[in-house]
């Protein structure tokens, strides 16, 4: 590891008394990432800072996490208040329904926070949940494309969460908005590491990597492999770096969701160890520079 600082490019904060998060309120429901019961409580900036401990994480990016649509702006304002009090997070990626005719009004409200940088509207979570939510249909919705174009016009970015079967279709959609900066969440949420599954994932990554304004965030392996190890994820992380290049890769903790299966230190140190053979310049890019540049922090 270099002696430089780290930017956590993907984490969440929430206060269940400020905003409604349906999945955090549902008791006894097992999700694709495990049993959420241990994290169905408030998670503030102070909790994140405590989890970080002595690691040199100096900046971070909050990503919306299933907030109720009517509370999306309230979430942004609350996150902004957390940042003013604790100097973290430094950037906010909020929820906005880009298919809604009132999207511009909503974006105006989010923009009252100087830390607002972009939007995440989830396209895909897992195969099972996608069947229930139908969010994959966003890729076929012309209003979604129009919303993406509005983000680009406003100088905002988009955080893209989806699964490997949706990647090539997504590459066509986002290829239609070449001026939009896009961050692929969780390496595209790979979960099938059979030969065929890995090939599908890597083929999809290459299609997305062909878009020059798209970066890839390495995070969230614990959601799909609850018993992951550094050596187990190493080849997958190296595949991402090989496809995108260090200058288009960033690392995130996905806390507190990944806290279900590992400590903050275990997640981040695994990332650090995997890239330790890269040059100092490349390590700086992946551990901090890419996220700083993309989220303008």
């Amino acid at each position: 590891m270099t002696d430089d600082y780290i930017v956590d490019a993907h984490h969440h904060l929430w206060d269940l008394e400020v905003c409604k998060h349906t999945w955090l309120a549902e008791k006894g429901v097992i999700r694709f990432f495990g049993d959420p019961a241990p994290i169905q409580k408030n998670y503030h900036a102070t909790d994140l800072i405590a989890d970080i401990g002595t690691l040199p994480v100096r900046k971070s990016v909050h990503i919306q996490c299933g907030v109720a649509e009517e509370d999306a702006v309230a979430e942004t304002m609350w996150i902004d208040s957390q940042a003013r009090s604790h100097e973290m997070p430094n950037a906010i990626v909020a929820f906005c329904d880009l298919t809604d005719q009132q999207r511009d009004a909503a974006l105006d409200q989010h923009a009252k926070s100087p830390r607002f940088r972009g939007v995440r509207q989830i396209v895909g979570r897992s195969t099972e949940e996608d069947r229930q939510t139908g969010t994959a249909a966003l890729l076929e919705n012309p209003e979604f494309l129009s919303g993406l174009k509005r983000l680009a016009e406003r100088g905002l970015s988009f955080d893209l969460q989806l699964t490997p079967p949706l990647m090539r279709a997504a590459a066509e959609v986002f290829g239609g908005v070449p001026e939009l900066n896009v961050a692929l969440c969780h390496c595209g949420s790979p979960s099938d590491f059979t030969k065929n599954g890995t090939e599908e994932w890597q083929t999809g990554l290459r299609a997305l990597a062909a878009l020059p304004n798209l970066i890839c965030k390495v995070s969230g392996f614990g959601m799909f492999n609850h018993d992951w190890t550094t050596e187990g994820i190493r080849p997958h992380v190296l595949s991402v770096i090989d496809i995108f290049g260090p200058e288009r890769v960033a690392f995130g903790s996905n806390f507190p969701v990944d806290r279900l299966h590992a400590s903050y230190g275990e997640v981040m140190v695994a990332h650090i160890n995997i890239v330790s053979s890269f040059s100092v310049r490349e390590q700086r890019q992946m551990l901090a520079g890419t996220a700083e540049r993309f989220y303008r922090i």
Side-chain angles (χ1 to χ4, degrees):
M1 176 183 171
T2 73
D3 294 328
D4 299 297
Y5 60 87
I6 300 167
V7 175
D8 185 342
H10 193 110
H11 72 79
H12 314 287
L13 301 176
W14 52 67
D15 188 307
L16 304 185
E17 297 175 3
V18 173
C19 299
K20 180 181 179 181
H21 297 74
T22 303
W23 70 277
L24 287 169
E26 293 176 340
K27 303 300 182 182
V29 178
I30 306 302
R31 302 292 299 278
F32 68 92
F33 52 80
D35 182 357
I39 59 172
Q40 289 179 314
K41 58 185 179 181
N42 291 345
Y43 191 77
H44 293 185
T46 51
D47 299 305
L48 175 68
I49 291 167
D51 280 334
I52 290 170
T54 60
L55 283 171
V57 178
R58 299 289 178 264
K59 301 178 184 180
S60 76
V61 181
H62 164 82
I63 310 296
Q64 68 84 19
C65 195
V67 69
E69 185 172 350
E70 64 270 19
D71 286 343
V73 172
E75 178 188 51
T76 294
M77 296 303 110
W78 178 76
I79 297 296
D80 192 77
S81 71
Q82 289 282 293
R84 291 197 304 272
S85 298
H86 305 289
E87 300 184 356
M88 190 178 286
N90 306 86
I92 299 171
V93 175
F95 174 80
C96 178
D97 183 356
L98 296 179
T99 69
D100 194 309
Q101 293 301 308
Q102 302 302 313
R103 61 194 171 215
D104 278 295
L107 293 172
D108 287 341
Q109 293 298 308
H110 286 297
K112 291 180 179 180
S113 165
R115 297 169 180 84
F116 175 53
R117 295 290 183 271
V119 165
R120 180 174 78 159
Q121 184 173 7
I122 293 177
V123 175
R125 296 168 176 82
S126 70
T127 302
E128 181 179 342
E129 292 201 7
D130 290 349
R131 291 195 194 100
Q132 299 172 354
T133 64
T135 53
L138 286 169
L139 296 175
E140 301 172 355
N141 188 331
E143 284 302 321
F144 181 63
L145 179 60
S146 296
L148 294 174
K149 291 178 178 178
R150 289 297 294 134
L151 290 183
E153 291 167 1
R154 286 171 168 260
L156 297 170
S157 62
F158 185 80
D159 264 55
L160 173 62
Q161 182 168 330
L162 79 175
T163 54
L166 302 173
M167 285 180 174
R168 285 193 282 184
E172 292 186 13
V173 171
F174 286 86
V177 198
E179 65 277 17
L180 177 66
N181 289 326
V182 181
L184 178 64
C185 299
H186 309 317
C187 306
S189 304
S191 60
D192 177 4
F193 289 107
T194 62
K195 184 176 183 295
N196 289 340
T198 298
E199 288 177 354
E200 178 183 48
W201 172 57
Q202 292 180 345
T203 297
L205 285 182
R206 291 189 183 95
L208 290 169
L211 307 178
N213 290 338
L214 190 145
I215 70 167
C216 186
K217 295 196 289 188
V218 175
S219 58
F221 277 103
M223 292 194 297
F224 296 99
N225 180 0
H226 305 336
D227 300 313
W228 69 270
T229 64
T230 301
E231 292 311 306
I233 67 172
R234 183 185 297 275
H236 311 311
V237 176
L238 293 178
S239 288
V240 168
I241 298 171
D242 180 61
I243 291 169
F244 283 89
E247 71 283 356
R248 294 169 63 196
V249 169
F251 287 93
S253 67
N254 195 38
F255 256 54
V257 178
D258 266 38
R259 192 187 199 188
L260 294 171
H261 309 293
S263 71
Y264 193 96
E266 288 169 331
V267 171
M268 282 304 196
V269 170
H271 296 161
I272 291 165
N273 287 342
I274 290 170
V275 301
S276 62
S277 62
F278 287 80
S279 71
V280 170
R281 183 188 64 81
E282 290 170 329
Q283 290 183 61
R284 286 172 175 165
Q285 280 293 322
M286 292 184 280
L287 296 173
T290 299
E292 286 181 312
R293 181 181 70 254
F294 185 89
Y295 291 110
R296 295 175 280 123
I297 54 177

